[in-house]
Amino acid sequence: MKNDAVLRLFSIYADDLYRFALSYTGSKCEAEDIVQDVFVKLISKPLIIRPEQEKAYLLRMTANLCKDYLKSPKYKENVDIDALGDVIGVSVDYSKDDDSLFKALSQMDEIYRMPIYLHYYEGYSHKEISGILKVSEAAIAKRISRGKEELRKRLEE
């Protein structure tokens, strides 16, 4: 892709991709690296993406890079610097409700967390999510339902 096209995509979608990668990995640093890798790949490859599929394509690239990261040995020995905030006395600017919701979401299994994120935070339909995650629509609907129930139980505890 041409640099100006990549810059346009970056200005439009970088924040969405970052939030998606953050919800996937749970690490701000890794989420930033993954988003950077997405755009580096776009610059280095001669791709043509249809305008109506830009966001879905970028989210799919981000999901694939997140999966690669979670399988890597780097993930297993990595210490999340965000989690060290309490230890070193750095406070994160979240309300108590936001913090409990974030913790509950981050503890959920990936198969429930990703569809919930894409549906409620990004506004994708079940059909669109099934295309992004390459899972049937029925499976997406079931995962969202089960994920909401699991989230409800975690928040009640």
Side-chain angles (χ1 to χ4, degrees):
M1 284 186 100
K2 293 185 179 182
N3 289 349
D4 56 337
V6 174
L7 286 174
R8 181 185 67 78
L9 291 174
F10 182 84
S11 66
I12 296 171
Y13 300 113
D15 290 339
D16 293 337
L17 298 180
Y18 172 74
R19 287 192 307 271
F20 182 62
L22 179 61
S23 71
Y24 221 114
T25 63
S27 168
K28 290 180 181 179
C29 295
E30 291 305 326
E32 290 170 354
D33 288 346
I34 287 169
V35 172
Q36 177 181 336
D37 290 346
V38 166
F39 289 101
V40 167
K41 285 185 178 207
L42 288 177
I43 289 173
S44 64
K45 292 183 178 182
L47 296 172
I48 298 174
I49 305 170
R50 294 194 309 239
E52 66 273 6
Q53 294 181 335
E54 288 174 345
K55 189 172 182 181
Y57 186 85
L58 294 172
L59 284 170
R60 189 174 303 122
M61 284 181 71
T62 305
N64 289 338
L65 288 173
C66 288
K67 288 176 186 177
D68 291 345
Y69 165 72
L70 293 175
K71 291 178 191 173
S72 72
K74 178 182 175 184
Y75 171 71
K76 291 174 179 51
E77 59 190 46
N78 194 15
V79 175
D80 184 10
I81 201 162
D82 304 327
L84 296 176
D86 296 335
V87 176
I88 60 175
V90 176
S91 63
V92 179
D93 192 22
Y94 291 120
S95 71
K96 187 175 180 180
D97 291 338
D98 290 340
D99 191 41
S100 61
L101 180 61
F102 180 75
K103 284 180 183 176
L105 278 170
S106 65
Q107 292 170 353
M108 289 177 64
D109 191 11
E110 166 187 330
I111 66 169
Y112 300 128
R113 185 176 64 240
M114 290 302 93
I116 286 175
Y117 176 83
L118 289 171
H119 184 67
Y120 290 105
Y121 288 97
E122 296 298 329
Y124 280 101
S125 68
H126 292 186
K127 183 177 181 178
E128 292 168 324
I129 297 169
S130 72
I132 292 169
L133 298 179
K134 298 180 182 173
V135 178
S136 72
E137 282 184 63
I140 293 298
K142 192 55 122 175
R143 288 177 183 185
I144 289 173
S145 174
R146 288 180 180 167
K148 285 181 0 185
E149 185 60 35
E150 181 179 332
L151 187 59
R152 184 178 299 115
K153 287 178 184 176
R154 286 178 186 268
L155 290 173
E156 287 174 354
E157 291 175 358

